[in-house]
Amino acid sequence: MNEKVAALLKDQVNKEFYSAYLYLAFSNYYYGVSLDGFGHWFEVQAREEQEHAMKILKYLQDNNEKVTLEAIAAPNVDFSDHKAPLTAALKHEQYVTSLINAIYREARQCDDFRTCQFLDWFIAEQGEEEKNTSDLIAKFELFGSDTKGLYLLNAELNGRADTSATAEA
Ligand code: FEO
């Protein structure tokens, strides 16, 4: 594998685990203020991010790349209000999209078609993740300022299905 592509993918393993840690911190914040539906939603999101990290790690292993697992940075959990984690999540997803795009660009430049094909799934997934987070912000803006609306939105988010392989049975 091209050295730069491999280095970017290795770094992305850490970035995806950081995403999991970040969303776990958001989940923890919401559970702490009794918004358990929001807590659940981000807990599911954290599990998905772990799966993203594992997909990339496995891909590197399958291509005989040695990966060193680096330290995961502590997430910032200093929120001004209940909407702040949502806007932080969207900003983070846009950042992750830019990282995936950068790896794709590099892989394409050195004719690494296998990595491009591998990344296709992530390109589609980023579109979905940005949309899910934007939708959540829109719902919060519509209903979140009213206590009854917030109660109902919280109940709706509690129903988010966890389809990850690591979901509790
Ligand atoms: Fe793995 Fe939400 O990007």
Side-chain angles (χ1 to χ4, degrees):
M1 194 184 288
N2 169 278
E3 239 175 71
K4 187 146 186 222
V5 173
L8 288 171
L9 283 169
K10 286 172 191 176
D11 198 39
Q12 194 62 28
V13 172
N14 187 273
K15 294 283 198 314
E16 298 291 342
F17 275 124
Y18 173 76
S19 300
Y21 210 35
L22 181 72
Y23 293 147
L24 194 59
F26 292 1
S27 168
N28 189 43
Y29 163 82
Y30 283 120
Y31 278 124
V33 293
S34 298
L35 286 169
D36 59 334
F38 286 78
H40 169 75
W41 198 91
F42 276 106
E43 195 179 328
V44 173
Q45 196 59 35
R47 288 206 189 98
E48 282 197 4
E49 298 298 348
Q50 273 186 59
E51 288 195 350
H52 297 171
M54 290 306 297
K55 258 187 217 283
I56 301 171
L57 179 60
K58 286 269 171 241
Y59 179 73
L60 287 162
Q61 288 168 345
D62 289 347
N63 284 278
N64 294 318
E65 287 291 337
K66 293 253 175 294
V67 182
T68 304
L69 295 174
E70 306 289 351
I72 303 168
N76 174 23
V77 284
D78 190 15
F79 302 124
S80 51
D81 55 33
H82 300 331
K83 190 185 158 189
L86 308 181
T87 44
L90 180 59
K91 210 171 144 208
H92 183 69
E93 284 306 324
Q94 288 164 341
Y95 166 64
V96 174
T97 298
S98 76
L99 296 174
I100 298 289
N101 288 349
I103 308 173
Y104 197 99
R105 196 175 298 119
E106 200 61 40
R108 200 175 51 182
Q109 266 166 20
C110 57
D111 288 352
D112 183 350
F113 303 119
R114 186 168 27 175
T115 297
C116 287
Q117 194 182 44
F118 168 73
L119 288 174
D120 279 344
W121 183 89
F122 283 88
I123 302 275
E125 176 74 3
Q126 280 313 120
E128 208 176 290
E129 302 231 307
E130 282 190 37
K131 182 185 176 343
N132 289 344
T133 317
S134 300
D135 286 353
L136 188 50
I137 292 172
K139 281 184 183 176
F140 193 92
E141 283 171 350
L142 276 171
F143 313 117
S145 55
D146 164 75
T147 49
K148 262 191 214 160
L150 185 61
Y151 180 84
L152 291 172
L153 181 56
N154 183 63
E156 182 193 317
L157 296 183
N158 226 336
R160 179 178 181 181
D162 188 350
T163 53
S164 65
T166 48
E168 284 167 34

